[in-house]
Amino acid sequence: MNLRLATLALCTSSLIAACTAPKYAATEKIYKKKAKTFASIYEQTPPTDQVVAKLNDKNTAWIASTNFGIRKPNYVIIHHTAQDSLGQTIKTFHNEKVGVSSHYVIGRDGKIVQMVNDYYRAHHAGIGKWGNDKDLNSSSIGIELDNNGTTDPWTEAQITSLLKVLNYLKKTYNIPQANFIGHMDIAPTRKNDPARFPWKTLADQGFGYWYDLKLETPPADFNAAMALRVIGYDISNLEAAVKGFKRHFIQTNDRGTFSSEELKIVYAIFKKYL
């Protein structure tokens, strides 16, 4: 009887497991299918959709090199979700019609959710520019922080988890300190996130820069626009670039001009990029 009962229990539990699909089984299936498609493209030798195959010319050849690698992220871009919960953001990133995603989402309680492999290109940056890079999706890791962007505080648990992720990414991919930036930096005409963010806390740990308490008066010939350009801002719309800088480093206002005191901050950050 005991053996019968044990067998029945095992069969019952197996049936329940089979009938109770994981919450995200459908989206996991889509992810795996896309990853499998990419893998099949990468392993083609020669690639069937590239020059040698497409030109169909006798004067071409495929001769494989032994020296190559996969996508290496060079930037980390931080966002706020502007949504009401971690679950809502996950749902948004599962909506193929919306078409947006991020490598990581970090909840208010510090929960870290990875949604895209670091080596894949997530859709988080959109249209923007930093330095000469106009395709930040291809060169960056995107991190979304669960925060509505208006009234939500930045919790200690969330920032602690963020620092853990940043530390891993910096060490693993050798990302320079200067390359930890915000969405407002690369797209100041469109974005203000992450709003009211504690950038100094990150800079103190080696993720991005902040200015010292003692500020110098810049020299008479100091060109603030060129300084912003050196830092990385797109100055084709100078007013927007000024606003982006102020949302990151000043946060008391985002008017499109600098006061004399604010110019001292621009000068202090500029010097860190020299």
Side-chain angles (χ1 to χ4, degrees):
M1 286 293 292
N2 288 341
L3 181 58
R4 274 184 172 183
L5 289 173
T7 303
L8 179 62
L10 180 61
C11 291
T12 302
S13 63
S14 298
L15 182 62
I16 292 171
C19 295
T20 308
K23 183 177 180 181
Y24 299 115
T27 50
E28 284 293 309
K29 187 175 181 180
I30 294 170
Y31 184 98
K32 289 177 181 177
K33 184 178 179 180
K34 286 188 174 183
K36 188 175 181 180
T37 299
F38 294 143
S40 67
I41 294 170
Y42 287 139
E43 68 182 9
Q44 291 174 359
T45 52
T48 59
D49 63 343
Q50 295 176 21
V51 170
V52 171
K54 288 296 185 182
L55 286 182
N56 195 25
D57 190 321
K58 291 181 180 179
N59 198 31
T60 63
W62 165 264
I63 303 174
S65 172
T66 56
N67 305 314
F68 63 99
I70 55 179
R71 187 191 95 107
K72 176 188 172 296
N74 191 46
Y75 294 94
V76 173
I77 299 175
I78 299 173
H79 311 249
H80 68 232
T81 61
Q83 299 195 329
D84 294 328
S85 68
L86 177 63
Q88 184 185 14
T89 299
I90 290 171
K91 186 176 180 180
T92 298
F93 289 173
H94 282 162
N95 187 329
E96 293 187 88
K97 290 183 179 179
V98 175
V100 294
S101 62
S102 192
H103 296 86
Y104 298 90
V105 186
I106 302 178
R108 293 168 173 84
D109 62 356
K111 183 174 183 178
I112 300 167
V113 176
Q114 183 170 6
M115 299 194 70
V116 179
N117 186 309
D118 288 350
Y119 295 119
Y120 288 158
R121 182 181 187 274
H123 301 162
H124 64 96
I127 298 171
K129 184 180 179 184
W130 190 249
N132 292 321
D133 193 333
K134 296 181 180 180
D135 184 9
L136 275 302
N137 277 333
S138 293
S139 59
S140 68
I141 294 284
I143 301 178
E144 291 275 357
L145 301 176
D146 182 23
N147 187 290
N148 66 17
T150 54
T151 58
D152 280 350
W154 297 103
T155 68
E156 183 178 349
Q158 189 173 47
I159 299 302
T160 297
S161 290
L162 173 62
L163 289 171
K164 289 179 183 177
V165 174
L166 297 183
N167 186 57
Y168 169 82
L169 296 174
K170 185 177 184 179
K171 288 182 177 178
T172 303
Y173 303 116
N174 196 28
I175 298 175
Q177 179 172 351
N179 291 4
F180 294 82
I181 52 182
H183 204 186
M184 83 276 272
D185 296 311
I186 67 162
T189 61
R190 303 184 299 111
K191 299 295 181 178
N192 70 342
D193 62 306
R196 307 166 288 101
F197 190 67
W199 287 106
K200 184 180 184 301
T201 300
L202 270 61
D204 288 345
Q205 299 297 319
F207 309 113
Y209 289 127
W210 200 252
Y211 50 90
D212 300 325
L213 290 177
K214 187 176 180 180
L215 294 171
E216 297 179 51
T217 300
D221 61 350
F222 177 63
N223 187 320
M226 288 300 102
L228 291 177
R229 178 68 183 86
V230 169
I231 292 167
Y233 289 93
D234 177 8
I235 61 171
S236 60
N237 183 331
L238 183 56
E239 183 180 0
V242 171
K243 288 182 177 181
F245 179 94
K246 292 174 75 169
R247 288 166 183 158
H248 186 133
F249 293 102
I250 296 172
Q251 299 188 2
T252 56
N253 71 80
D254 65 353
R255 291 187 294 273
T257 57
F258 290 123
S259 69
S260 58
E261 288 301 307
E262 291 167 346
L263 279 174
K264 294 179 182 179
I265 296 175
V266 178
Y267 183 56
I269 298 299
F270 161 71
K271 287 195 299 178
K272 293 181 182 292
Y273 283 80
L274 297 180

